[in-house]
RNA sequence: CGGGAUGUAGCGCAGCUUGGCUAGCGCGCUUGCCUUGGGAGCAAGAGGCCGGGGGUUCGAAUCCCUCCAUCCCGACCA
């Protein structure tokens, strides 16, 4: 195609509203435009990238026996009421009414639809296992869309659902998808890590997330630094290891100390000349079942996902200042477990502390020499803290490293949650009715595109991996006034097309600098430059976007050279 | 939903404090000349409901009220 005829509206300046680099570059390089908050239009270049990713996804799903279908975006409320998610899903569900007042929603996911389909069409074990997938727009009315394509309200997702007779079959399907996902991200040229994840309220047994490693990632993952161990987990999930030994210190008698205006762990520790690990952090949470105090060592952070799972509650949020004042009798910053009248959940580390420092529930005072058991009672003792880099791997004991990741895919074992709710059963070989065992597996297609940009860019612009680049090569005649250059560029361009290379020719009557800048910004893997010197010697330059390396290649060899260089990356 | 900020030409911004004549600048766009190896130069142009509504005033981009939109932080995220 010709750049002069393509809609590639590049911008010189960074759009003011774009914060993350993928958003900035995708807008600047003419890939996307915003239609509303969290809703984007994909321009020709973006659509080509998305189609490439989708093609890879389709091939890998098919390789594992997945069959493609297409389900509706608009879903009737009845199905969601059957699974009781109409009420549970909350305000994130886009809801609408038709002209008759009937309730519908825009699908954020398709478990209900597909389970209803399968319950109608599958009745025998002979029809299982079944792997069905689609690539479809999804809708989630995010409270706060942000980061461009990373967290949109409308996005493209591949979702596959597996239907098996039993857990063993589910495990096989799960393994297939694990394999398929690994191949998808490998082929997309992304550096990623598979991590154990929290299954959340869905309550499944196994779940893994596929994380593209990038500094801007919203998720934190920990992974084992040992080359012999492949442990990796989302910090929300990572289990903490605990020393069994408690301190040898002799418990001393508790006393109150005056700590004016020392309302943070750090301040109190410095003020009293102790380390933060000598303090107990007391956070008061509000749940639908009342208030709960969560205790962790002062140098640790509470892991709200673990706490949520421990409490089994539906709502969990930090109590507001007024509530804290009311229940502790002190301002925020002086809460402590001693004499606190509410359920107390403590991390095991807290239980091992001797002569600890804690808030006195009295403004301006802390207690020293606080000892768990003696001075306060813990109702629930369980892992509720965030694991940090440097801690021992729960599997092998080596130190853990930490990284930021963008969640681009996840795989879940659902079990019979939906088949039970919606009545999807089959008859086994003994004629017994059984619930179908399900799994679900998602890939964020638009997010994968953004994640690739986050991971592959430089000061000049995007650097697409060849496998998902919108075009693989751009041919640039330095001057469109020089007929010899134009002729040679056209010849090379046509030969590339004949060879099946996705090539563009930048035939705009722009100065060379403009065309180079645009080529770098858009991020074509290869650029072929035809200049006056090259024309004389019958050579053109081939420049690799990734490395910036340029080689002079005789015209007749260019096709081979290009194919050779692209092979390497494909 | 709480906190903060911003809405002025396609994009990036100034003007607003202290109201005043025709609303500016850079980039981009159009036309012509010129130029062609890293976002050239000269000249002439087009392009604005100053986010919407209401108010104050002789007069509002500017002051007041209100609504809307967008962005950031937090909360939230099967």
């Amino acid at each position: 195609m010709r750049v002069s005829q393509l809609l590639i509206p590049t911008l010189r300046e960074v759009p003011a509203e774009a914060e993350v680099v993928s958003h900035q570059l995708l807008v600047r390089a003419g890939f996307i435009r915003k239609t509303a908050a969290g809703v984007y239009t994909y321009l020709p270049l973006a659509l080509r990238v998305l189609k490439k990713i989708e093609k890879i996804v389709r091939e890998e799903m098919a390789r594992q026996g997945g069959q493609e279908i297409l389900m509706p975006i608009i879903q009737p409320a009845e199905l969601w009421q059957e699974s009781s998610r109409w009420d549970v899903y909350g305000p994130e569900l886009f809801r609408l009414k038709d002209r008759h007042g009937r309730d519908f929603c825009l699908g954020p996911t398709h478990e209900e639809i597909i389970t209803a389909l399968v319950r109608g069409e599958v009745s025998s074990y002979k029809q299982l296992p079944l792997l069905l997938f689609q690539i479809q727009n999804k809708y989630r009315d995010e409270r706060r869309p942000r980061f461009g394509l990373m967290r949109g309200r409308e996005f493209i997702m591949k979702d596959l659902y597996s239907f098996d007779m039993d857990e063993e079959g589910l495990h096989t399907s799960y393994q297939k998808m694990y394999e398929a996902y690994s191949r998808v991200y490998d082929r997309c040229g992304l550096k990623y890590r598979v991590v154990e994840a929290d299954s959340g309220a869905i309550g499944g047994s196994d779940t893994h997330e596929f994380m593209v490693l990038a500094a801007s990632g919203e998720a934190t993952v920990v992974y084992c630094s040992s080359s012999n161990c492949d442990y990796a987990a989302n910090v929300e999930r990572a289990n903490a290891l605990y020393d069994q030994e408690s301190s040898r210190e002799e418990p001393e008698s508790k006393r109150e100390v005056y700590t004016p205006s020392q309302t943070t762990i750090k301040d109190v520790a410095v003020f009293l000349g102790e380390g933060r690990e000598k303090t107990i952090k007391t956070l008061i949470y509000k749940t639908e079942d009342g208030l709960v105090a969560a205790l962790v060592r002062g140098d640790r952070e509470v892991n709200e996902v673990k706490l949520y799972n421990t409490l089994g509650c539906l709502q969990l949020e930090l109590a507001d200042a007024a509530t804290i004042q009311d229940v502790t009798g002190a301002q925020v910053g002086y809460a402590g477990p001693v004499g606190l009248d509410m359920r107390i959940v403590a991390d095991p580390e807290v239980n091992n502390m001797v002569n600890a420092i804690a808030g006195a529930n009295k403004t301006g005072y802390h207690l020293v020499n606080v000892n768990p058991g003696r001075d306060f009672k813990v109702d629930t003792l369980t892992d509720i803290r965030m694991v940090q880099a440097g801690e021992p791997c729960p599997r092998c004991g080596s130190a853990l490293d930490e990284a930021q990741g963008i969640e681009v895919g996840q795989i879940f074992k659902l079990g019979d949650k939906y088949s039970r709710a919606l009545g999807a059963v089959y008859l086994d070989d003994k004629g017994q009715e059984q619930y179908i065992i399900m799994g679900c597996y998602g890939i964020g297609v638009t997010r994968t595109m953004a994640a690739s940009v986050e991971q592959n860019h430089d000061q000049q612009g995007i650097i697409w991996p060849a496998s998902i680049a919108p075009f693989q090569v751009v041919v640039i005649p330095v001057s469109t006034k020089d007929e010899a250059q134009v002729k040679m560029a056209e010849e090379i361009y046509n030969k590339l097309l004949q060879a099946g290379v996705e090539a563009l020719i930048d035939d705009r009557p722009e100065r060379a600098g403009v065309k180079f800048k645009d080529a770098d910004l858009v991020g074509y893997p290869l650029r072929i430059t035809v200049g006056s010197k090259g024309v004389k010697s019958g050579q053109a330059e081939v420049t690799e976007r990734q490395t910036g390396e340029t080689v002079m290649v005789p015209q007749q060899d260019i096709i081979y050279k290009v194919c050779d260089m692209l092979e390497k990356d494909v």
Side-chain angles (χ1 to χ4, degrees):
Chain A
M1 298 194 77
R2 296 178 173 275
V3 174
S4 63
Q5 289 161 22
L6 267 176
L7 182 62
I8 310 178
T10 57
L11 303 173
R12 297 194 182 202
E13 285 166 293
V14 180
E17 65 183 26
E19 193 68 14
V20 296
V21 70
S22 62
H23 189 195
Q24 292 175 348
L25 287 175
L26 287 169
V27 172
R28 268 196 72 203
F31 283 70
I32 60 171
R33 287 293 184 265
K34 187 176 70 183
T35 299
V39 180
Y40 291 85
T41 294
Y42 307 109
L43 302 181
L45 292 180
L47 189 59
R48 290 183 69 97
V49 174
L50 293 172
K51 293 290 179 197
K52 295 262 179 95
I53 295 171
E54 289 178 3
K55 181 164 186 284
I56 290 171
V57 169
R58 285 192 168 93
E59 288 171 5
E60 295 304 331
M61 293 303 115
R63 185 194 300 276
Q64 304 297 342
Q67 302 174 51
E68 185 167 3
I69 61 173
L70 188 59
M71 290 180 273
I73 289 168
I74 296 186
Q75 308 186 4
E78 285 77 12
L79 283 176
W80 284 75
Q81 283 155 355
E82 267 190 77
S83 71
S84 53
R85 286 209 293 182
W86 184 258
D87 297 320
V88 172
Y89 213 95
E92 228 172 80
L93 192 62
F94 266 111
R95 294 160 207 257
L96 63 153
K97 282 184 193 294
D98 70 9
R99 61 166 65 188
H100 305 293
R102 289 186 284 246
D103 287 312
F104 290 85
C105 65
L106 302 182
T109 176
H110 284 71
E111 280 88 4
E112 281 79 3
I113 302 270
I114 199 148
T115 307
L117 174 80
V118 167
R119 97 179 140 190
E121 309 308 325
V122 170
S123 46
S124 160
Y125 73 97
K126 294 174 187 167
Q127 294 169 283
L128 300 175
L130 192 57
L131 303 177
L132 297 173
F133 78 98
Q134 67 169 348
I135 296 176
Q136 176 65 292
N137 276 1
K138 302 284 178 176
Y139 297 83
R140 292 184 193 179
D141 195 359
E142 292 281 347
R143 216 180 240 189
R144 188 182 154 208
R146 58 183 141 177
F147 305 144
L149 295 186
M150 299 294 240
R151 184 168 287 265
R153 294 194 293 174
E154 176 183 80
F155 53 96
I156 301 170
M157 189 163 156
K158 184 284 305 179
D159 46 327
L160 183 144
Y161 303 87
S162 66
F163 301 87
D164 283 283
M165 288 187 281
D166 49 27
E167 286 291 332
E168 192 185 336
L170 171 59
H171 187 69
T172 303
S173 295
Y174 191 84
Q175 290 302 319
K176 283 182 178 177
M177 284 302 114
Y178 192 111
E179 163 77 10
Y181 276 43
S182 301
R183 292 183 60 99
V184 165
Y185 296 117
D186 282 337
R187 289 181 61 188
C188 287
L190 294 166
K191 290 186 283 292
Y192 66 97
R193 204 172 267 282
V194 190
V195 303
E196 294 178 10
D198 182 79
S199 55
I202 208 156
S205 42
D206 277 340
T207 177
H208 286 87
E209 290 170 338
F210 287 71
M211 296 282 192
V212 166
L213 303 178
S216 61
E218 286 188 85
T220 303
V221 302
V222 289
Y223 55 96
C224 187
S225 58
S226 163
S227 51
N228 300 322
C229 177
D230 60 358
Y231 179 79
N234 190 314
V235 282
E236 291 177 348
R237 161 66 188 258
N239 293 324
L241 282 188
Y242 294 96
D243 283 335
Q244 295 306 315
E245 267 180 67
S246 19
S247 161
R248 302 265 165 80
E249 224 177 297
E250 282 301 314
E252 294 179 26
S253 50
K254 166 179 66 125
R255 74 191 155 81
E256 198 174 89
V257 292
Y258 184 49
T259 52
S261 322
Q262 310 297 313
T263 58
T264 67
I265 291 287
K266 192 178 151 206
D267 289 346
V268 171
V270 169
F271 186 78
L272 296 175
E274 292 281 4
R276 284 188 301 165
E277 71 283 354
K278 286 290 286 182
T279 66
I280 295 175
K281 187 182 288 184
T282 305
L283 296 179
I284 296 176
Y285 283 91
K286 202 190 259 178
T287 78
E288 75 271 20
D289 301 324
L291 296 172
V292 174
L295 310 186
V296 294
R297 221 169 68 183
D299 57 331
R300 306 298 194 186
E301 298 298 327
V302 168
N303 182 330
E304 291 189 4
V305 171
K306 289 180 181 175
L307 184 59
Y308 183 95
N309 289 342
T310 297
L311 297 173
C313 57
L314 293 171
Q315 283 171 355
L316 180 72
E317 59 183 24
L318 279 170
D320 54 86
T323 305
I324 290 172
Q325 177 100 38
D326 194 41
V327 296
T328 67
Q331 288 172 14
V332 174
Y334 296 99
V338 180
L340 200 58
D341 182 25
M342 66 179 71
R343 180 174 175 187
I344 294 180
V345 180
D347 189 81
E349 249 176 4
V350 172
N351 220 33
N352 284 352
M353 294 173 78
V354 176
N355 298 333
I357 299 161
N361 296 324
K362 183 173 169 187
T363 300
Y365 292 88
H366 279 77
L367 298 173
V368 298
N369 300 331
V370 170
N371 290 287
R374 185 190 73 182
D375 299 322
F376 64 92
K377 194 170 131 288
V378 172
D379 297 299
T380 309
L381 192 65
T382 187
D383 178 6
I384 55 166
R385 73 175 175 87
M386 206 73 91
V387 170
Q388 294 161 330
E391 290 191 45
C393 167
R395 199 171 290 166
C396 78
S398 306
L400 289 172
D401 282 334
E402 201 173 278
Q404 296 305 114
I406 301 162
E407 183 198 327
V408 290
Q410 85 272 42
I411 55 180
F412 261 114
K413 288 188 179 176
L414 289 172
D416 63 3
K417 173 172 172 158
Y418 293 94
S419 50
R420 199 175 273 273
L422 293 157
V425 296
Y426 70 97
L427 289 181
D428 66 16
D429 56 1
K430 299 182 185 66
Q432 296 290 310
E433 202 169 73
Q434 306 283 356
Y435 286 115
I436 298 176
I437 304 300
M438 294 173 56
C440 73
Y441 316 83
I443 286 180
V445 175
T446 36
R447 188 184 270 191
T448 297
M449 175 168 76
S452 177
V453 177
E454 289 290 332
Q455 198 173 69
N456 303 296
H457 67 272
D458 62 15
Q459 282 297 309
Q460 304 304 315
I462 303 171
I463 305 171
W464 291 107
S467 59
I468 60 172
F471 290 90
Q472 295 168 328
V473 181
V474 60
V475 181
I476 299 182
V478 167
S479 169
T480 49
K481 294 269 174 70
D482 180 338
E483 284 179 24
Q485 285 180 34
V486 171
K487 180 165 172 286
M488 183 168 163
E490 293 281 354
E491 282 173 14
I492 293 170
Y493 167 65
N494 281 314
K495 281 204 178 133
L496 285 168
L497 291 183
Q498 284 163 24
V501 175
E502 293 173 306
L504 268 183
I505 183 163
D506 195 343
D507 56 338
R508 294 175 299 169
E510 294 284 351
R511 296 164 59 85
V514 173
K515 293 188 274 195
F516 293 156
K517 287 286 186 190
D518 271 355
D520 288 347
L521 181 59
V522 171
Y524 310 103
L526 294 179
R527 184 181 97 201
I528 296 175
T529 312
V530 178
S532 55
K533 284 161 285 183
V535 166
K536 286 186 191 117
S537 59
Q539 292 183 308
E541 294 165 30
V542 179
T543 306
E544 197 177 15
R545 176 67 180 85
Q546 167 85 48
T547 60
E549 282 169 19
T550 296
V551 287
M552 290 296 288
V553 181
Q555 187 175 349
Q556 65 271 20
D557 297 339
I558 282 184
I559 303 301
Y560 303 107
K561 181 68 185 171
V562 165
C563 290
D564 185 46
M565 291 178 78
L566 289 173
E567 274 297 312
K568 177 174 81 175
D569 278 323
V570 169

